[in-house]
Amino acid sequence: MTEDHTLTIGGTRVAPGERRRIEIEVAQPYGPSQLTLSTVILNGRKPGPRLFLSAAVHGDEINGVEIIRRLLRSPRVRHLRGALLAIPIVNIYGFMQQSRYLPDRRDLNRAFPGSERGSLTGRLAGVFMREVVANATHGIDLHTAAIHRSNLPQIRACLDDERTRSLAEAFGVPVVIDANVRDGSLRQAVLERKVPMLLYEGGEALRFDELAIRAGVRGVLSVMAELGMIDPPRRPSTRVVPVVAKSTIWVRADEGGILRIRKKLGAHVQAGDILAVVSGPLGDREETVTSPTAGVIIGRTELPLVNEGDALFHIASFKQQSKAGRQIERFEAELDPDATTSPSGEPPVL
Ligand SMILES: [Zn+2]
């Protein structure tokens, strides 16, 4: 950064008022062509916060790729204060293979901050820190559940930090989880640099989920408005009040078998409610899976084949249980995927 708020990323200068696509070189693969970290920079005419927006850190988590595509086309980001650093596909290797991992079988989100002399995965993490995070004042990383699982749209963040908490509330999804950082995660490396960052989770790997995409587009725009980078919408939607989970637990299969799910994502459940039934593949036995606690289903498996010990449902408990339930209903009604246009003006993915 210079005084006139020109950005230099991957050796390329982006002057105030410029929009540029930059290909940042990362580690050379065995094939003949170079793989790059494709970055779109929107540098506003006026100075302000510099927000990085990343997706597909896990290469098969693609809702965020679509969220960023819609955002970059939105008329609302045309006149920015500050800058948007958009990286729709961080793990290009995994994205090409439809895989969470890199070719060295590592998880990028356990390799941060990485290093230029480390593994292939560590080198990609290092380039991302040097070129993207070092130029940013705030960040949002977009994820989905892992393969064969889906998540209710939710924000994970360290809420002890007041600045992060206000961004988490601005994002406007009903469920916020005050989540500890994992070793080697992007969130940990970014927090160590005192850059406030949110992690958004919504939908399933290798699938588009229209509700999660709409919630992501609207959430990022709301955060940008909260930071003063764009004007607030002219017709603000009735704001969803996020509710912070006090704890979350996974319900696992006590027996292997064929799973029939009885409760949808976002359902409000009581202790003892039947969540699913597991039966033997030949119909020889049948066992119910019940909820050990009251709460809201924020994640679940999508695969009807389960081994003993598999994680089936992720349930969040809240101090104000019924408030959380009401906010989820309001949120789902507002972002109804059957409605013809979304907050970004895009028709739904059907
Ligand atoms: Zn992920």
Side-chain angles (χ1 to χ4, degrees):
M1 279 294 290
T2 55
E3 278 301 306
D4 70 348
H5 66 279
T6 292
L7 279 161
T8 303
I9 291 178
T12 303
R13 287 163 59 86
V14 188
E18 259 191 327
R19 176 185 181 129
R20 264 182 187 257
R21 176 174 157 184
I22 299 172
E23 300 296 332
I24 304 169
E25 281 187 20
V26 285
Q28 173 78 50
Y30 53 73
S33 48
Q34 177 66 263
L35 291 179
T36 56
L37 189 65
S38 300
T39 307
V40 180
I41 309 289
L42 278 64
N43 197 2
R45 283 187 194 283
K46 295 185 184 149
R50 299 184 302 278
L51 175 71
F52 82 75
L53 188 58
S54 53
V57 161
H58 293 133
D60 59 352
E61 300 183 4
I62 58 175
N63 277 336
V65 181
E66 173 66 6
I67 290 170
I68 295 179
R69 189 191 70 81
R70 291 190 192 184
L71 281 164
L72 291 176
R73 290 163 54 97
S74 168
R76 291 190 60 204
V77 304
R78 235 170 256 157
H79 304 287
L80 282 184
R81 289 174 287 274
L84 185 66
L85 287 65
I87 309 90
I89 307 159
V90 178
N91 176 4
I92 181 69
Y93 306 90
F95 184 74
M96 294 305 297
Q97 299 290 327
Q98 302 175 12
S99 158
R100 179 183 182 88
Y101 304 103
L102 275 92
D104 62 4
R105 297 165 204 255
R106 287 184 166 87
D107 182 333
L108 179 59
N109 217 21
R110 306 284 179 273
F112 283 96
S115 105
E116 279 168 39
R117 287 202 292 270
S119 65
L120 172 67
T121 303
R123 286 173 196 226
L124 174 56
V127 169
F128 191 86
M129 293 301 292
R130 186 189 72 212
E131 300 295 343
V132 178
V133 176
N135 278 301
T137 58
H138 299 79
I140 303 176
D141 189 25
L142 305 168
H143 286 252
T144 74
I147 189 96
H148 301 316
R149 286 191 197 157
S150 58
N151 279 339
L152 187 75
Q154 58 196 264
I155 286 290
R156 298 182 185 175
C158 282
L159 302 179
D160 294 345
D161 176 46
E162 206 41 57
R163 293 178 305 163
T164 309
R165 179 181 276 268
S166 77
L167 299 185
E169 285 169 5
F171 200 96
V173 290
V175 176
V176 174
I177 299 171
D178 190 2
N180 288 332
V181 286
R182 275 197 144 130
D183 276 353
S185 67
L186 174 60
R187 206 151 64 86
Q188 183 189 47
V190 169
L191 284 179
E192 274 171 12
R193 298 201 176 190
K194 307 269 183 275
V195 171
M197 187 192 126
L198 303 179
L199 188 144
Y200 172 65
E201 283 271 356
E204 185 183 354
L206 294 177
R207 300 278 181 273
F208 276 165
D209 179 310
E210 182 63 26
L211 180 82
I213 291 167
R214 288 181 176 193
V217 172
R218 189 178 74 168
V220 174
L221 289 171
S222 302
V223 167
M224 290 175 76
E226 173 75 19
L227 289 170
M229 297 174 72
I230 58 172
D231 295 328
R234 253 175 275 153
R235 278 177 292 122
S237 52
T238 41
R239 197 158 161 158
V240 169
V241 184
V243 190
V244 179
K246 68 175 164 60
S247 62
T248 72
I249 53 159
W250 276 99
V251 179
R252 292 181 181 276
D254 283 335
E255 285 193 54
I258 309 296
L259 180 78
R260 281 140 40 218
I261 288 178
R262 291 278 173 80
K263 294 283 184 191
K264 66 179 179 104
L265 214 50
H268 186 184
V269 297
Q270 300 299 332
D273 279 2
I274 295 176
L275 303 175
V277 180
V278 178
S279 54
L282 307 177
D284 45 343
R285 57 186 163 80
E286 201 147 273
E287 199 180 76
T288 55
V289 178
T290 56
S291 181
T293 181
V296 169
I297 299 176
I298 59 164
R300 65 167 220 196
T301 182
E302 293 288 341
L303 192 67
L305 311 174
V306 299
N307 288 314
E308 182 180 331
D310 280 354
L312 305 180
F313 294 90
H314 196 193
I315 297 179
S317 300
F318 300 86
K319 276 205 192 96
Q320 301 155 288
Q321 207 73 257
S322 52
K323 184 179 171 192
R326 278 199 309 278
Q327 293 304 321
I328 290 166
E329 277 169 29
R330 178 194 274 189
F331 167 79
E332 288 182 338
E334 256 182 35
L335 291 171
D336 180 7
D338 294 332
T340 47
T341 50
S342 74
S344 58
E346 292 262 353
V349 174
L350 296 173

